[in-house]
Amino acid sequence: MSLVKIAVLDMNDNHANEGMRCILQIIRNVQGNERQADLHAELAFDVFNVRANNEIPGLDYDIYISSGGPGSPLPSDEAWEAPYFDLMDQIFDWNRWNERKKFLFLICHSYQLVVRHLGLGTVSERRSTSFGIFPMHKLDAALDEHLLQALPDPFYAVDSRNFQITQPDDDRLQEFGAVALCLEKDRPNIPLERAVMAIRFSDEVFGTQFHPEADDEGMLRHFLTDIKRNQIIENFGQDKYDDMVSYLQDPDKIALTGSVILPTFLRDAIKALKHEPELVR
């Protein structure tokens, strides 16, 4: 049985969050399914506290998942940033020259960071925070995207951000071999460019502005606590809170998205790795 090693890059800077719990649960679910299906792959994962402890994994992992997190994705002099981008560059470089690939999934803050680093679009601060469960609208390129094929158009996902990716650089995307896949909801009454919500960076690398890891049951429990309920109502209003609770109870929204994108990415990566030659570590 082959061992598939996963590095989970925690980008939350020690802030409390639901995303890491959801990511690790998806890995455990896929791990259990792999065993049940007797597909001869054993999953092992390690968590790296990137921003708080400057923990950066090396290239001895097969799959990397880089989480969302708070704060600005704009340039800083924080100690973790240069090593983080160096790892991203190493993964892309590795995949150019090696038959056995490295797979990478980028979520929210990580997605913004890598888009900025690669110059694929404009990273800017939003006029106001986007927080809620919103429709994600597919572009034509998404019709051929395996990770999205099982989802309707639009599909729904958790969005929580103060920054955005707009003005994708088509020349740079084409040069890099990347393609934009989704846009945020259309707001005809607001004369602002719609944010790019997902990009296929390469055959092995995928990123989303939204949170595909979010699960309905866990997040519903979290949102029903007095602290979280009061926080959302105070910051965004009762209507926003009621909408989120309703959407979390709808099996065709968060539950569907959470069951498709990241689990499919992991299964696709595992299948690809099992058909590629093992390397001497």
Side-chain angles (χ1 to χ4, degrees), residues 69-106:
S72 170
L74 299 177
S76 74
D77 57 359
E78 295 184 47
W80 61 268
E81 188 166 304
Y84 177 82
F85 287 136
D86 185 54
L87 173 63
M88 298 297 108
D89 290 339
Q90 288 181 56
I91 291 172
F92 283 110
D93 287 342
W94 174 280
N95 287 340
R96 290 187 185 99
W97 302 107
N98 290 276
E99 186 176 353
R100 183 177 174 86
K101 308 300 184 181
K102 307 288 184 183
F103 293 83
L104 170 65
F105 199 103
L106 303 160

Side-chain angles (χ1 to χ4, degrees), residues 195-213:
V196 179
M197 302 302 288
I199 292 176
R200 167 65 74 177
F201 292 82
S202 71
D203 288 344
E204 301 81 25
V205 182
F206 195 90
T208 64
Q209 175 65 85
F210 56 86
H211 288 269
E213 78 277 20

Side-chain angles (χ1 to χ4, degrees), residues 116-167:
R116 170 173 69 82
H117 179 64
L118 298 176
L120 300 180
T122 299
V123 183
S124 62
E125 190 167 6
R126 288 176 51 87
R127 290 185 179 180
S128 61
T129 299
S130 178
F131 180 78
I133 297 171
F134 297 114
M136 306 294 152
H137 296 269
K138 296 181 181 180
L139 295 169
D140 289 344
L143 297 176
D144 298 322
E145 174 51 57
H146 185 230
L147 298 192
L148 303 179
Q149 284 178 345
L151 297 174
D153 184 17
F155 62 93
Y156 284 78
V158 172
D159 189 25
S160 178
R161 60 193 166 95
N162 290 313
F163 289 80
Q164 62 185 357
I165 305 297
T166 57
Q167 300 176 344

Side-chain angles (χ1 to χ4, degrees), residues 15 152 161 257 281:
H15 287 75
R161 60 193 166 95
T257 301
R281 302 281 185 193

Side-chain angles (χ1 to χ4, degrees), residues 6-25:
I6 303 173
V8 181
L9 281 63
D10 182 352
M11 303 293 287
N12 288 283
D13 202 18
N14 284 345
H15 287 75
N17 72 96
E18 284 290 293
M20 285 298 297
R21 176 190 63 78
C22 295
I23 290 170
L24 298 182
Q25 186 59 53

